[in-house]
PDB file of all heavy atoms in Angstrom:
ATOM      1  N   ALA A  42     -28.719 117.453  96.571  1.00  0.00           N
ATOM      2  CA  ALA A  42     -28.085 116.912  97.777  1.00  0.00           C
ATOM      3  C   ALA A  42     -26.634 116.370  97.471  1.00  0.00           C
ATOM      4  O   ALA A  42     -25.637 116.716  98.132  1.00  0.00           O
ATOM      5  CB  ALA A  42     -28.835 115.843  98.354  1.00  0.00           C
ATOM      6  N   ARG A  43     -26.513 115.580  96.485  1.00  0.00           N
ATOM      7  CA  ARG A  43     -25.198 114.891  96.249  1.00  0.00           C
ATOM      8  C   ARG A  43     -24.165 116.043  95.798  1.00  0.00           C
ATOM      9  O   ARG A  43     -23.020 115.877  96.100  1.00  0.00           O
ATOM     10  CB  ARG A  43     -25.240 113.869  95.143  1.00  0.00           C
ATOM     11  CG  ARG A  43     -24.031 113.035  94.875  1.00  0.00           C
ATOM     12  CD  ARG A  43     -24.318 111.888  93.954  1.00  0.00           C
ATOM     13  NE  ARG A  43     -23.031 111.336  93.536  1.00  0.00           N
ATOM     14  CZ  ARG A  43     -22.881 110.279  92.739  1.00  0.00           C
ATOM     15  NH1 ARG A  43     -24.039 109.739  92.103  1.00  0.00           N
ATOM     16  NH2 ARG A  43     -21.746 109.836  92.428  1.00  0.00           N
ATOM     17  N   LEU A  44     -24.652 116.961  95.045  1.00  0.00           N
ATOM     18  CA  LEU A  44     -23.738 117.920  94.622  1.00  0.00           C
ATOM     19  C   LEU A  44     -23.216 118.827  95.631  1.00  0.00           C
ATOM     20  O   LEU A  44     -22.165 119.199  95.737  1.00  0.00           O
ATOM     21  CB  LEU A  44     -24.426 118.943  93.546  1.00  0.00           C
ATOM     22  CG  LEU A  44     -24.748 118.285  92.118  1.00  0.00           C
ATOM     23  CD1 LEU A  44     -25.774 119.209  91.330  1.00  0.00           C
ATOM     24  CD2 LEU A  44     -23.593 117.946  91.402  1.00  0.00           C
ATOM     25  N   VAL A  45     -24.083 119.033  96.673  1.00  0.00           N
ATOM     26  CA  VAL A  45     -23.690 119.917  97.851  1.00  0.00           C
ATOM     27  C   VAL A  45     -22.671 119.058  98.561  1.00  0.00           C
ATOM     28  O   VAL A  45     -21.702 119.656  99.109  1.00  0.00           O
ATOM     29  CB  VAL A  45     -24.907 120.132  98.705  1.00  0.00           C
ATOM     30  CG1 VAL A  45     -24.421 120.717 100.090  1.00  0.00           C
ATOM     31  CG2 VAL A  45     -25.875 121.096  97.933  1.00  0.00           C
ATOM     32  N   ALA A  46     -22.810 117.716  98.738  1.00  0.00           N
ATOM     33  CA  ALA A  46     -21.897 116.885  99.452  1.00  0.00           C
ATOM     34  C   ALA A  46     -20.538 116.831  98.698  1.00  0.00           C
ATOM     35  O   ALA A  46     -19.427 116.717  99.273  1.00  0.00           O
ATOM     36  CB  ALA A  46     -22.469 115.346  99.418  1.00  0.00           C
ATOM     37  N   GLU A  47     -20.580 117.250  97.317  1.00  0.00           N
ATOM     38  CA  GLU A  47     -19.330 117.159  96.585  1.00  0.00           C
ATOM     39  C   GLU A  47     -18.704 118.629  96.591  1.00  0.00           C
ATOM     40  O   GLU A  47     -17.581 118.813  95.986  1.00  0.00           O
ATOM     41  CB  GLU A  47     -19.658 116.749  95.152  1.00  0.00           C
ATOM     42  CG  GLU A  47     -19.953 115.324  95.067  1.00  0.00           C
ATOM     43  CD  GLU A  47     -20.468 114.856  93.712  1.00  0.00           C
ATOM     44  OE1 GLU A  47     -20.553 115.787  92.812  1.00  0.00           O
ATOM     45  OE2 GLU A  47     -20.802 113.679  93.523  1.00  0.00           O
ATOM     46  N   GLY A  48     -19.393 119.562  97.186  1.00  0.00           N
ATOM     47  CA  GLY A  48     -18.744 120.885  97.280  1.00  0.00           C
ATOM     48  C   GLY A  48     -19.576 122.030  96.733  1.00  0.00           C
ATOM     49  O   GLY A  48     -19.105 123.205  96.819  1.00  0.00           O
ATOM     50  N   ALA A  49     -20.742 121.764  96.029  1.00  0.00           N
ATOM     51  CA  ALA A  49     -21.504 122.881  95.585  1.00  0.00           C
ATOM     52  C   ALA A  49     -22.231 123.651  96.580  1.00  0.00           C
ATOM     53  O   ALA A  49     -22.512 123.106  97.759  1.00  0.00           O
ATOM     54  CB  ALA A  49     -22.476 122.325  94.503  1.00  0.00           C
ATOM     55  N   ARG A  50     -22.639 124.827  96.277  1.00  0.00           N
ATOM     56  CA  ARG A  50     -23.387 125.744  97.159  1.00  0.00           C
ATOM     57  C   ARG A  50     -24.837 125.767  96.644  1.00  0.00           C
ATOM     58  O   ARG A  50     -25.072 126.072  95.505  1.00  0.00           O
ATOM     59  CB  ARG A  50     -22.837 127.151  97.344  1.00  0.00           C
ATOM     60  CG  ARG A  50     -23.808 128.049  98.082  1.00  0.00           C
ATOM     61  CD  ARG A  50     -23.208 129.412  98.041  1.00  0.00           C
ATOM     62  NE  ARG A  50     -24.177 130.402  98.658  1.00  0.00           N
ATOM     63  CZ  ARG A  50     -25.078 130.972  97.991  1.00  0.00           C
ATOM     64  NH1 ARG A  50     -25.232 130.860  96.685  1.00  0.00           N
ATOM     65  NH2 ARG A  50     -26.019 131.827  98.675  1.00  0.00           N
ATOM     66  N   LEU A  51     -25.744 125.327  97.505  1.00  0.00           N
ATOM     67  CA  LEU A  51     -27.133 125.378  97.064  1.00  0.00           C
ATOM     68  C   LEU A  51     -27.807 126.785  97.400  1.00  0.00           C
ATOM     69  O   LEU A  51     -27.782 127.145  98.531  1.00  0.00           O
ATOM     70  CB  LEU A  51     -27.946 124.329  97.866  1.00  0.00           C
ATOM     71  CG  LEU A  51     -29.455 124.340  97.518  1.00  0.00           C
ATOM     72  CD1 LEU A  51     -29.828 124.047  96.019  1.00  0.00           C
ATOM     73  CD2 LEU A  51     -30.132 123.259  98.406  1.00  0.00           C
ATOM     74  N   ALA A  52     -28.165 127.464  96.376  1.00  0.00           N
ATOM     75  CA  ALA A  52     -28.721 128.779  96.537  1.00  0.00           C
ATOM     76  C   ALA A  52     -30.262 128.538  96.976  1.00  0.00           C
ATOM     77  O   ALA A  52     -30.947 127.806  96.524  1.00  0.00           O
ATOM     78  CB  ALA A  52     -28.681 129.605  95.259  1.00  0.00           C
ATOM     79  N   PRO A  53     -30.768 129.421  97.933  1.00  0.00           N
ATOM     80  CA  PRO A  53     -32.098 129.242  98.444  1.00  0.00           C
ATOM     81  C   PRO A  53     -33.178 129.717  97.417  1.00  0.00           C
ATOM     82  O   PRO A  53     -34.243 129.110  97.390  1.00  0.00           O
ATOM     83  CB  PRO A  53     -32.098 130.137  99.613  1.00  0.00           C
ATOM     84  CG  PRO A  53     -30.966 131.115  99.470  1.00  0.00           C
ATOM     85  CD  PRO A  53     -29.970 130.341  98.763  1.00  0.00           C
ATOM     86  N   THR A  54     -32.838 130.596  96.596  1.00  0.00           N
ATOM     87  CA  THR A  54     -33.784 131.075  95.503  1.00  0.00           C
ATOM     88  C   THR A  54     -33.080 131.135  94.229  1.00  0.00           C
ATOM     89  O   THR A  54     -31.807 131.219  94.156  1.00  0.00           O
ATOM     90  CB  THR A  54     -34.384 132.374  95.874  1.00  0.00           C
ATOM     91  OG1 THR A  54     -33.269 133.332  95.669  1.00  0.00           O
ATOM     92  CG2 THR A  54     -34.987 132.390  97.253  1.00  0.00           C
ATOM     93  N   VAL A  55     -33.843 131.205  93.082  1.00  0.00           N
ATOM     94  CA  VAL A  55     -33.161 131.286  91.805  1.00  0.00           C
ATOM     95  C   VAL A  55     -32.482 132.735  91.719  1.00  0.00           C
ATOM     96  O   VAL A  55     -31.416 132.885  90.944  1.00  0.00           O
ATOM     97  CB  VAL A  55     -34.226 131.082  90.708  1.00  0.00           C
ATOM     98  CG1 VAL A  55     -35.229 132.214  90.672  1.00  0.00           C
ATOM     99  CG2 VAL A  55     -33.396 130.981  89.349  1.00  0.00           C
ATOM    100  N   GLY A  56     -33.110 133.760  92.328  1.00  0.00           N
ATOM    101  CA  GLY A  56     -32.433 135.025  92.305  1.00  0.00           C
ATOM    102  C   GLY A  56     -31.068 135.087  92.943  1.00  0.00           C
ATOM    103  O   GLY A  56     -30.182 135.609  92.535  1.00  0.00           O
ATOM    104  N   ASP A  57     -30.968 134.301  94.149  1.00  0.00           N
ATOM    105  CA  ASP A  57     -29.722 134.173  94.789  1.00  0.00           C
ATOM    106  C   ASP A  57     -28.754 133.489  93.934  1.00  0.00           C
ATOM    107  O   ASP A  57     -27.499 133.702  93.997  1.00  0.00           O
ATOM    108  CB  ASP A  57     -29.904 133.511  96.131  1.00  0.00           C
ATOM    109  CG  ASP A  57     -30.683 134.186  97.093  1.00  0.00           C
ATOM    110  OD1 ASP A  57     -30.565 135.522  97.172  1.00  0.00           O
ATOM    111  OD2 ASP A  57     -31.399 133.533  98.016  1.00  0.00           O
ATOM    112  N   ALA A  58     -29.217 132.426  93.125  1.00  0.00           N
ATOM    113  CA  ALA A  58     -28.274 131.641  92.351  1.00  0.00           C
ATOM    114  C   ALA A  58     -27.659 132.397  91.240  1.00  0.00           C
ATOM    115  O   ALA A  58     -26.599 132.527  90.967  1.00  0.00           O
ATOM    116  CB  ALA A  58     -29.068 130.446  91.774  1.00  0.00           C
ATOM    117  N   LEU A  59     -28.466 133.336  90.663  1.00  0.00           N
ATOM    118  CA  LEU A  59     -28.002 134.295  89.551  1.00  0.00           C
ATOM    119  C   LEU A  59     -26.948 135.330  90.153  1.00  0.00           C
ATOM    120  O   LEU A  59     -26.017 135.689  89.407  1.00  0.00           O
ATOM    121  CB  LEU A  59     -29.138 135.026  88.876  1.00  0.00           C
ATOM    122  CG  LEU A  59     -30.032 134.179  87.982  1.00  0.00           C
ATOM    123  CD1 LEU A  59     -31.203 134.913  87.521  1.00  0.00           C
ATOM    124  CD2 LEU A  59     -29.214 133.882  86.672  1.00  0.00           C
ATOM    125  N   ALA A  60     -27.220 135.731  91.421  1.00  0.00           N
ATOM    126  CA  ALA A  60     -26.399 136.749  92.034  1.00  0.00           C
ATOM    127  C   ALA A  60     -25.083 136.134  92.479  1.00  0.00           C
ATOM    128  O   ALA A  60     -24.076 136.841  92.675  1.00  0.00           O
ATOM    129  CB  ALA A  60     -27.134 137.428  93.139  1.00  0.00           C
ATOM    130  N   ALA A  61     -24.957 134.884  92.497  1.00  0.00           N
ATOM    131  CA  ALA A  61     -23.831 134.241  93.137  1.00  0.00           C
ATOM    132  C   ALA A  61     -22.551 134.221  92.284  1.00  0.00           C
ATOM    133  O   ALA A  61     -21.550 134.209  92.723  1.00  0.00           O
ATOM    134  CB  ALA A  61     -24.181 132.813  93.503  1.00  0.00           C
ATOM    135  N   GLY A  62     -22.728 134.102  90.911  1.00  0.00           N
ATOM    136  CA  GLY A  62     -21.533 134.099  90.129  1.00  0.00           C
ATOM    137  C   GLY A  62     -22.015 134.206  88.651  1.00  0.00           C
ATOM    138  O   GLY A  62     -23.124 134.217  88.285  1.00  0.00           O
ATOM    139  N   SER A  63     -20.892 134.567  87.794  1.00  0.00           N
ATOM    140  CA  SER A  63     -21.198 134.575  86.450  1.00  0.00           C
ATOM    141  C   SER A  63     -20.204 133.702  85.664  1.00  0.00           C
ATOM    142  O   SER A  63     -18.927 133.661  86.163  1.00  0.00           O
ATOM    143  CB  SER A  63     -21.053 135.927  85.980  1.00  0.00           C
ATOM    144  OG  SER A  63     -21.150 136.120  84.520  1.00  0.00           O
ATOM    145  N   PRO A  64     -20.462 132.956  84.656  1.00  0.00           N
ATOM    146  CA  PRO A  64     -21.798 132.898  83.979  1.00  0.00           C
ATOM    147  C   PRO A  64     -22.829 132.016  84.721  1.00  0.00           C
ATOM    148  O   PRO A  64     -22.514 131.144  85.624  1.00  0.00           O
ATOM    149  CB  PRO A  64     -21.406 132.340  82.690  1.00  0.00           C
ATOM    150  CG  PRO A  64     -20.344 131.342  82.964  1.00  0.00           C
ATOM    151  CD  PRO A  64     -19.486 132.055  84.010  1.00  0.00           C
ATOM    152  N   ALA A  65     -23.953 132.216  84.380  1.00  0.00           N
ATOM    153  CA  ALA A  65     -25.210 131.482  84.894  1.00  0.00           C
ATOM    154  C   ALA A  65     -25.515 130.482  83.751  1.00  0.00           C
ATOM    155  O   ALA A  65     -26.037 130.932  82.709  1.00  0.00           O
ATOM    156  CB  ALA A  65     -26.327 132.196  85.215  1.00  0.00           C
ATOM    157  N   ILE A  66     -25.273 129.169  84.008  1.00  0.00           N
ATOM    158  CA  ILE A  66     -25.520 128.101  83.034  1.00  0.00           C
ATOM    159  C   ILE A  66     -27.101 127.637  83.240  1.00  0.00           C
ATOM    160  O   ILE A  66     -27.358 127.183  84.384  1.00  0.00           O
ATOM    161  CB  ILE A  66     -24.629 126.887  83.200  1.00  0.00           C
ATOM    162  CG1 ILE A  66     -23.259 127.403  83.222  1.00  0.00           C
ATOM    163  CG2 ILE A  66     -24.915 125.959  81.941  1.00  0.00           C
ATOM    164  CD1 ILE A  66     -22.682 128.110  82.059  1.00  0.00           C
ATOM    165  N   ILE A  67     -27.890 127.688  82.196  1.00  0.00           N
ATOM    166  CA  ILE A  67     -29.285 127.304  82.431  1.00  0.00           C
ATOM    167  C   ILE A  67     -29.613 126.034  81.598  1.00  0.00           C
ATOM    168  O   ILE A  67     -29.202 125.894  80.373  1.00  0.00           O
ATOM    169  CB  ILE A  67     -30.168 128.435  81.826  1.00  0.00           C
ATOM    170  CG1 ILE A  67     -29.825 129.781  82.591  1.00  0.00           C
ATOM    171  CG2 ILE A  67     -31.755 128.137  81.993  1.00  0.00           C
ATOM    172  CD1 ILE A  67     -30.370 130.985  81.807  1.00  0.00           C
ATOM    173  N   CYS A  68     -30.190 125.003  82.307  1.00  0.00           N
ATOM    174  CA  CYS A  68     -30.497 123.782  81.668  1.00  0.00           C
ATOM    175  C   CYS A  68     -31.855 123.215  82.250  1.00  0.00           C
ATOM    176  O   CYS A  68     -31.843 122.500  83.172  1.00  0.00           O
ATOM    177  CB  CYS A  68     -29.399 122.754  82.019  1.00  0.00           C
ATOM    178  SG  CYS A  68     -29.596 121.279  81.085  1.00  0.00           S
TER     179      CYS A  68
END
Side-chain angles (χ1 to χ4, degrees):
R43 184 173 174 183
L44 292 169
V45 170
E47 294 171 0
R50 172 185 174 269
L51 176 61
T54 69
V55 68
D57 292 327
L59 284 172
S63 181
I66 313 298
I67 304 162
C68 189

